[in-house]
């Protein structure tokens, strides 16, 4: 780890002020991604801005037909939240399957969504549920937020403040874990919200993406068999020592099928 | 002293004495030790697999805050890290043995090779400075795989090893072997890989060098399985420090699995440099360094051929193996594919002729050496897979084929065609017991039930033997070992009757502090709490060869028995004097000395006190004190064996293979502590399942380690091992006083073929004869998918 300055502001405004003044400053929430990177000296921030002292970033609430989750909310809190379990049980289930207990008790939704790891769980839920990302300055639609591997619409100095999830009629999630890292090798989040069907695929490609053929198939016929018939082209799939692009493409269909089955 | 209320001797399972300290975080590991005025070392490692070093500029780094010293190969010109086993080629010439300098001398040969050491006041300062060293590399093409290293025109690693060959060795009579094949009704042939593994002990390696210039005394604290061996190798071969000026301490060590047997460069570097800077130096590997510098395991490619008669009797086995040595010869690397592998190829079978040839190859990868089982898992995997393939090819049932070829229980001692003489075993019984426990006969019903759930269920078996209790020195010496392989035990009985045992073996998870103490409890009749096992310090323990090859009990325990024999003999003389009886009439049984046939007795405590307070004592005839040392050189290897059965289910949609049940019935000789044996077998089986299903060390063609962290290198987790049933079936070792054989490696040796045989069985409808390890979901899915396609076409 290289030396850095440490700040612990108590308001979003103060955090943004520090971050805007210094383009090499980085926010830290759960630290589950940033700390290992710092330890390996892969990152050299001038200062680290700890978001854990900002009360307005924490908590889960139901707001009409939305569930609003503050950026600093830990995975374990989402997994155990009665509001989430009642409104979007699949989201609680997703959170309960991230990493291991230590990771779930530290890692946050804000950190995960801002980081946009292609193998992360949350981005699929954000896209499939058509969530809105609330930042320190604006509101961003899910479709516009995730832009590529580890890349999002967040500007330098802009903080993710909350994620607003519309409550769906149906939602299902299934994933295949990478045997070594236990991150997502291929996953599918399917949802029907206000009549609109969305299928978001994570883990398999460089960035979470919508599988429009599956969306069409499910719009016509919401059933596992409907997605089972849709083949994912292998062209843009990841390929590494854990699996070929062809294998991941195959898994996309398998996981989508299982997600629809789980959604009921 | 009263006999213990709870029996804690041989056969009991008292709780492990060491666990309170380990489970409460109070162990004392090398990195927990801090010496006054200590500095910290960081190794600058090569990012290239193969390069010549044009120059190293340390000027900027040396000027950085906190830097104490920087040394490169130009500064540290010392002896080569030695190889402990000389192998001869087929033509009788010695192997090629290129040097292994602790700091690179003008050339690096694998990613992670050490180029310089930076010593600073703090570890971060040392790391900062290491980043500021400018190394001018001329990058050379690399040979990462054995095929690449053996190809014509391959990059040459060492001038002294033309064609990148270390040796081309063989064992067995080729003419006899060929004659057997000429008569065969069936010949079964196939090629297989034994996948390369990264050991990953929980505690990373660490070393502290300390030097006292007033006494010229060097001390090395290190994560080692054998401190005396390190003292011998480093003192005599690398740094030329005589034994009386070099102390090696191996305190608590958090797992080794073989990877901490070897003498590593970092040990020599901190010991050498501590005397240069005249301050203690600590080095601790981070996990990334462990991946690229701990010796890796396995990595064989083998072509095997089995000749069978019409009735399925094995007539001959022919094996050609290439074995990866990595970039340099690690301490015992050369013995693993030869004497620890080829000599096991008779297995549990009466195969009359075995011929094996082994070519050892240098590649631009981390050195490869012994890893839990060392050579024997490789032999077992190829043999037990081959038998299954033979069963399928000949149409003979796989159990029946094994039974027909087993060495019968009344055939011991049994001389194999590959040098070893097995002393005891009962393979039919371990097989029968395992089949029953695993409900082998009920399998087809379980398979049908699984099929209804869309799962492919398979069952696999392995009947194995291994040779451990390493080793008779004269035999090992005749085969090229450059050290003796006896063990040392000193029994120090204190005046009040408690006992300290100094053993040359080393415990790094195995529970010796309990098991070895049970031997003393059993013999002397004193409670376990009265016995302490001291190990891991060359200044305390007279000598020793350490722990590997499941030798601690069979060899180290036997040395203790010899020393206890001496104690009892002397104590009986003291007792005879006190009871005014003839020595021959004094019997000793668990704490009580008795004049035979009388009620005259003396207790253990009385005799111990008398030995140290010799007021009424035969002082003219015997010395005071009760402190005896014994060296024990085993007469033979020991031969644990047994039967492992694995049942798996494969999800054809994802390729995920789950171990449902695993049954192990092992003959490890006499069991001293059943709980510890069970734990050792469980751990070994978990590692075997890891090798079979999960663990893959991968390099790219340029020599970068692709599986360089736990993100990509898959270790077994609790959920990966299924329901594990472990039992033992004892036949006693006939040549050591305890009748013990060894249990540390059986789990890792017997299990991989059981798992893969189960996988192949699960895929029996897909035309598969073999699946290379690890059988990952992706690999299995591709097999299933192409099978489906073939069926559709
Ligand atoms: C062993 C292990 C296993 C894991 N397994 C999984 C898994 O299976 N699935 C999965 O999805 N994830 C997994 N993770 C990741 C983990 O769940 C966290 O979600 C992830 O590390 C990011 O969350 P964090 O709160 O720790 O963020 P941090 O590490 O603190 O930050 C991550 C990045 O986001 C930035 N950031 C943080 N908060 C904000 C904010 N409010 N606004 C703007 N930028 C911000 C930081 O600057 C940094 O760049 C695993 C992690 C570990 C260590």
């Amino acid at each position: 780890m290289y030396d850095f300055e440490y700040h612990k502001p108590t308001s979003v405004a103060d955090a943004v002020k520090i971050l805007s003044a210094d383009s090499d400053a980085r926010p830290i929430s759960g630290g589950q991604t940033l700390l290992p990177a710092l330890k390996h000296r892969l990152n050299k921030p001038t200062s680290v801005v700890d978001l854990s002292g900002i009360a307005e970033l924490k908590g889960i609430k139901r707001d009409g037909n939305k569930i609003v989750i503050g950026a600093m909310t830990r995975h374990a809190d989402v997994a155990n939240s009665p509001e989430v379990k009642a409104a979007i049980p699949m989201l609680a289930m997703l959170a309960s399957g991230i990493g291991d207990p230590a990771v779930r008790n530290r890692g946050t939704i804000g950190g995960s969504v801002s980081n946009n790891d292609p193998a992360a769980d949350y981005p699929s839920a954000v896209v499939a549920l058509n969530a809105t990302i609330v930042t320190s300055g604006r509101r961003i639609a899910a479709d516009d937020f995730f832009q590529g591997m580890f890349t999002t619409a967040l500007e330098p100095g802009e903080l993710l403040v909350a994620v607003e999830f519309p409550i769906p009629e149906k939602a299902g999630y299934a994933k295949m874990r990478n045997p070594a890292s236990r991150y997502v090798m291929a996953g599918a989040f399917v949802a029907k919200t206000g009549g609109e069907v969305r299928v978001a695929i994570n883990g398999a490609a460089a960035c979470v993406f919508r599988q429009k053929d599956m969306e069409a198939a499910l719009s016509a016929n919401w059933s596992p068999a409907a997605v089972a018939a849709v083949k994912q082209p292998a062209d843009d799939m990841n390929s590494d020592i854990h699996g070929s692009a062809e294998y991941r493409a195959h898994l996309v269909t398998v996981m989508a099928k299982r997600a629809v089955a789980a959604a009921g | 002293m009263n006999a213990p209320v709870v029996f804690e001797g041989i056969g009991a399972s008292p709780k492990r004495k060491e666990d309170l300290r380990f489970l409460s975080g109070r162990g004392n590991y090398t990195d927990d030790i801090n010496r006054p005025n200590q500095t910290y070392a960081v190794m600058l490692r090569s990012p290239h697999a193969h390069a010549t070093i044009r120059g190293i500029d340390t000027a900027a780094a040396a000027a950085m805050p906190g830097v104490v010293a920087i040394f490169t190969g130009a500064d540290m010109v010392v002896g080569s890290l030695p190889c402990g086993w000389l192998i001869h080629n087929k033509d009788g010439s010695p192997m090629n043995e290129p040097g292994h300098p602790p700091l690179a001398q003008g050339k690096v040969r694998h990613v992670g090779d050490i180029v310089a050491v930076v010593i600073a006041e703090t570890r971060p300062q040392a790391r900062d400075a290491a980043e500021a060293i400018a190394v001018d590399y001329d990058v050379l093409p690399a040979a990462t795989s054995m095929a690449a290293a053996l190809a014509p025109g391959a990059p040459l690693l060492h001038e002294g090893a033309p064609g990148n060959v270390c040796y081309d060795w063989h064992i067995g009579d080729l003419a006899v072997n060929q004659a057997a094949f000429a008569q065969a009704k069936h010949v079964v042939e196939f090629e297989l890989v034994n996948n390369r593994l990264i050991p990953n002990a929980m505690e990373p390696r660490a070393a502290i060098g300390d030097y006292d210039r007033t006494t010229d005394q060097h001390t090395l604290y290190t994560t080692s399985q054998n401190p005396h061996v390190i003292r011998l190798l480093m003192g005599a071969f690398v740094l030329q420090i005589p034994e009386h000026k070099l102390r090696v301490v191996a305190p608590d060590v958090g797992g080794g699995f073989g990877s901490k047997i070897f003498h590593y460069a970092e040990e020599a570097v901190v010991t050498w440099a501590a005397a240069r800077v005249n301050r203690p130096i600590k080095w601790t590997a981070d996990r990334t360094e462990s991946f690229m510098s701990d010796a890796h395991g396995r990595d064989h490619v083998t072509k095997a051929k089995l000749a069978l008669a019409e009735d399925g009797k094995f007539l001959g086995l022919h094996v050609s193996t290439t074995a990866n040595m990595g970039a340099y010869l690690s301490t015992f690397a050369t013995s693993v594919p030869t004497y620890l592998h080829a000599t096991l190829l008779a297995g549990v079978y009466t195969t009359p002729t075995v011929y094996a040839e082994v070519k050892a190859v240098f590649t631009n990868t981390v050195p490869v050496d012994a890893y839990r089982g060392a050579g024997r898992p490789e032999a077992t995997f190829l043999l037990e897979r081959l038998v299954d393939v033979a069963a399928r090819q000949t149409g003979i049932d796989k159990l029946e084929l094994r039974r027909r070829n087993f060495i019968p229980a009344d055939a011991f001692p049994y001389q194999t065609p590959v040098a070893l003489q097995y002393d005891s075993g009962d393979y039919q019984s371990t097989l029968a017991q395992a089949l029953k426990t695993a409900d082998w006969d009920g399998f087809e019903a379980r398979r049908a039930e699984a099929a209804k759930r869309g799962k492919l269920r398979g069952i696999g078996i392995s009947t194995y033997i291994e040779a451990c209790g390493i080793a008779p020195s004269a035999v090992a010496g005749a085969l090229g070992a450059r050290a003796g392989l006896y063990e040392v035990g000193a029994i120090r009985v204190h005046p009040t009757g408690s006992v300290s045992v100094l053993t040359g073996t080393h415990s790094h998870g195995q529970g010796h502090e309990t098991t070895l103490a049970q031997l003393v409890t059993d013999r002397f009749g004193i409670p376990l709490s009265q016995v302490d096992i001291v190990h891991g310090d060359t200044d305390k323990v007279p000598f020793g060869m350490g722990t590997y090859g499941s030798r601690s009990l069979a060899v180290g325990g036997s040395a203790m028995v010899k020393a206890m024999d001496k104690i009892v003999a002397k104590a009986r003389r003291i007792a005879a004097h006190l009871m005014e009886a003839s020595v021959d009439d004094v019997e000793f049984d668990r704490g009580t000395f008795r004049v035979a046939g009388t009620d005259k007795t003396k207790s253990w405590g009385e005799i111990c006190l008398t030995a140290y307070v010799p007021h009424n004592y035969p002082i003219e005839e015997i010395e005071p004190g009760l402190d005896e040392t014994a060296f024990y050189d085993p007469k033979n290897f020991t031969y644990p064996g047994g039967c492992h059965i694995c049942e798996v289910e494969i999800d054809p949609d994802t390729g995920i293979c789950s171990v449902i049940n695993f049954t192990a019935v092992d003959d490890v000789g006499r069991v001293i502590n059943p709980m510890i044996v069970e734990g050792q077998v469980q751990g070994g089986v978990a590692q075997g399942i890891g090798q079979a299903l999960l663990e893959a060390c991968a390099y790219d063609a340029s020599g970068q380690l692709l599986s360089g962290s736990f993100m990509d290198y898959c270790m077994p987790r609790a959920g990966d091992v299924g329901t594990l049933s472990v039992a033992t079936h004892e036949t006693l070792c006939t040549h050591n006083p305890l009748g013990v054989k060894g249990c540390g490696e059986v789990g890792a040796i017997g299990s991989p073929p059981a798992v893969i045989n189960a996988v192949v069985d699960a895929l029996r409808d897909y035309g598969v004869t073999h699946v290379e390890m690890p059988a990952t979901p992706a690999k299995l899915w591709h097999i299933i998918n192409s099978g489906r396609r073939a069926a559709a076409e």
Side-chain angles (χ1 to χ4, degrees), chain B residues 198-202 257 259 287 290-291 294 695 710 713 715:
Chain B
I198 304 178
N200 281 311
M202 207 181 298
F257 313 108
S259 72
R287 189 55 69 180
S290 302
F291 272 94
D294 292 1
E695 299 183 46
F710 291 133
Y713 188 84
M715 296 294 286

Side-chain angles (χ1 to χ4, degrees), chain A residues 66 132-135 137-141 158 164:
Chain A
K66 284 183 299 194
T132 300
I133 310 294
V134 183
T135 79
R138 56 188 169 140
R139 298 168 59 80
I140 308 172
E158 184 174 16
E164 295 179 359

Side-chain angles (χ1 to χ4, degrees), chain B residues 146 190-198 296-303 319-324 336-337 341 345 368-369 371-385 687-688 690-692 695-697 713 748-754 756 770-774 779:
Chain B
M146 291 192 279
F190 88 133
E191 187 170 328
L192 81 176
V193 173
N194 205 282
N195 47 326
R196 184 182 180 112
L197 303 175
I198 304 178
H296 292 178
R298 318 279 192 255
D299 207 345
H300 287 188
V301 176
T302 293
K303 279 201 179 81
V319 169
S320 296
T321 292
T322 48
N324 199 341
V336 176
H341 171 243
L345 289 170
V368 179
D369 207 326
Y371 170 67
R372 201 168 193 173
R376 290 149 290 162
E378 295 91 318
T380 305
F381 185 66
L382 88 82
L383 214 48
E384 289 304 298
R385 282 272 44 243
Q687 272 173 303
Q691 167 160 31
E695 299 183 46
C697 172
Y713 188 84
I749 292 168
S751 56
I756 296 299
H770 182 56
V771 177
E772 295 290 13
M773 300 189 290
K779 195 181 284 175

Side-chain angles (χ1 to χ4, degrees), chain A residues 26-35 51 71 75 97-100 103 106-108 110-112 114-115 119-122 154 158-160 175 177 181-183:
Chain A
R26 298 288 297 277
I28 190 166
S29 35
Q32 296 301 291
T33 292
L34 189 57
L35 278 179
L51 306 182
H75 307 328
I98 297 175
D100 52 45
V103 169
R106 294 297 309 168
T108 67
S112 178
S114 312
N115 194 47
D121 286 281
Y122 270 128
L154 288 174
E158 184 174 16
L159 274 185
L160 194 155
K175 66 173 169 177
R177 291 171 181 272
S181 72
R182 315 293 269 179
Y183 275 73

